Amino acid sequence: MDHLQLARQQLEQTMNVLTKIGLEYVELDPFVMGVGVAVPYGPADYVVISVSGGGSESLLNLTSGVLQDLSQEPLPILDACNKITRDNPIFPHFLHDAEAGWSVLVQHRALATVLYDVRGLMQVVVENLPVIARASREKLAAAGVVGRPYTWNPADANHLLIRSLM
């Protein structure tokens, strides 16, 4: 069996739920670790919903990019992320490091069945992540953390898909 088959099945269910609640989405290129879609909200705002393969198929990762291409020392960035998360723990912020560069992401990770079955929960989380990401950019700027915002384009969306799975 293909190691992403169950992830693709879960993503199909997710797309059905998104359609039922009236949210438009764009399928993203599959990645070796999982699959996903992007829900756009304008020129800069979007949410990537991803499903990992290899045993985590029951969980959905709902992720928005806050900043990318960070060049500062990590400690002040981590401190700022911790403060933001402390104030809103349902939407944790974290520093994602990779050879391609550092990013700050905000992510809500939950059982797919909870997001599907609790009336309105999926829509509330998806619609609020971009709002939280925008507010977090301002908080990070106030803390001296600078980077490039994620924008709605295929390259950034696929980049965010990969980061959401790692």
Side-chain angles (χ1 to χ4, degrees):
M1 179 193 313
D2 172 6
H3 77 283
L4 292 181
Q5 182 177 355
L6 294 175
R8 277 194 281 276
Q9 289 172 358
Q10 187 70 266
L11 188 63
E12 284 293 327
Q13 285 184 275
T14 301
M15 292 186 293
N16 289 337
V17 170
L18 292 171
T19 299
K20 285 179 187 173
I21 60 177
L23 294 175
E24 295 183 16
Y25 60 85
V26 175
E27 289 186 62
L28 300 173
D29 296 334
F31 178 61
V32 68
M33 295 177 63
V35 294
V37 296
V39 180
Y41 284 98
D45 298 327
Y46 62 100
V47 176
V48 167
I49 303 173
S50 59
V51 183
S52 299
S56 297
E57 294 86 356
S58 64
L59 296 168
L60 295 183
N61 305 304
L62 294 91
T63 310
S64 279
V66 179
L67 290 173
Q68 59 184 326
D69 299 330
L70 302 169
S71 59
Q72 296 93 335
E73 289 297 314
L75 195 55
I77 301 169
L78 290 169
D79 184 53
C81 288
N82 287 343
K83 288 177 181 172
I84 295 169
T85 299
R86 179 195 61 216
D87 294 339
N88 193 357
I90 197 165
F91 294 107
H93 289 64
F94 59 94
L95 177 62
H96 184 280
D97 64 339
E99 287 183 26
W102 293 0
S103 291
V104 172
L105 309 178
V106 56
Q107 186 175 73
H108 181 84
R109 192 168 197 221
L111 288 170
T113 54
V114 172
L115 289 166
Y116 300 158
D117 294 345
V118 175
R119 184 177 170 89
L121 183 59
M122 173 79 92
Q123 188 165 0
V124 166
V125 172
V126 171
E127 289 177 349
N128 277 286
L129 270 169
V131 174
I132 292 164
R134 275 194 312 271
S136 298
R137 278 185 209 108
E138 293 173 15
K139 292 175 183 176
L140 290 168
V145 177
V146 293
R148 185 172 62 87
Y150 279 81
T151 56
W152 173 235
N153 63 63
D156 273 3
N158 281 297
H159 183 76
L160 186 56
L161 169 65
I162 293 168
R163 287 179 183 253
S164 76
L165 294 164
M166 300 175 100

